[in-house]
């Protein structure tokens, strides 16, 4: 059984998530078991967010598998378990958990994204491999001075 549903709000974390109302495609299988209905499924949805290294917007896709037993009666279920509400299956909490688990912790726009220049903040993927700053940080310059003085002491 394949169904398409609009994505709920706030499906994701700060950096990346499924846009609200995006098409979520659910491929689910229902099995009757003793205590209730076992739902096994896979959800596919678009992702949008920003690169953890260079903050460039990015889009990608997520696929998350899930399994949940919906109990017929609350008597058999523990506190966190799902209960069937008539013949309604509320898959949203299950799908939400599965998506959050499957989200990349540090999404990147490309696998080898070089990030941002620590000096000027430019995106290094745009700036090219030759981008560098010759200016030495003043604190480092002082250290360099110390080192050459030290060398002179040794010689003298
Ligand atoms: Zn990037
Ligand atoms: Zn720079």
């Amino acid at each position: 059984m394949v169904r398409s549903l609009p994505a709920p709000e706030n499906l994701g974390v700060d950096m990346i998530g499924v846009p609200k109302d995006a098409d979520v495609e659910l491929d689910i299988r229902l099995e009757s078991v003793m205590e209730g209905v076992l739902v096994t499924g896979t959800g596919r949805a678009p992702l949008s967010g920003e690169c953890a290294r260079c903050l460039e917007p990015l889009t990608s896709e997520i696929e998350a598998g899930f399994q949940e037993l919906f109990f017929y009666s609350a008597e058999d279920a523990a506190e966190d378990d799902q209960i069937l509400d008539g013949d309604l299956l509320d898959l949203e909490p299950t799908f939400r958990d599965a998506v959050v688990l499957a989200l990349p912790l540090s999404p990147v726009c490309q696998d080898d994204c070089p990030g941002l220049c620590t000096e000027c903040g430019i995106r290094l993927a745009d700036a090219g491999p030759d981008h560098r700053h010759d200016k030495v940080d003043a604190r480092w310059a002082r250290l360099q001075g110390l080192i050459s003085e030290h060398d002179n002491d040794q010689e003298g």
Side-chain angles (χ1 to χ4, degrees), residues 37 70-74 82-91:
V37 176
F70 287 76
F71 287 85
Y72 289 128
S73 113
Q82 301 254 26
I83 321 289
L84 272 177
D85 178 13
D87 16 301
L88 273 183
L89 290 170
D90 181 9
L91 280 174

Side-chain angles (χ1 to χ4, degrees), residues 89-121:
L89 290 170
D90 181 9
L91 280 174
E92 191 191 309
T94 306
F95 178 64
R96 185 181 288 272
D97 288 353
V99 165
V100 170
L101 279 177
L103 284 174
L105 288 176
S106 312
V108 286
C109 59
Q110 54 193 71
D111 283 346
D112 56 350
C113 172
L116 299 175
C117 173
T118 51
E119 283 283 325
C120 68

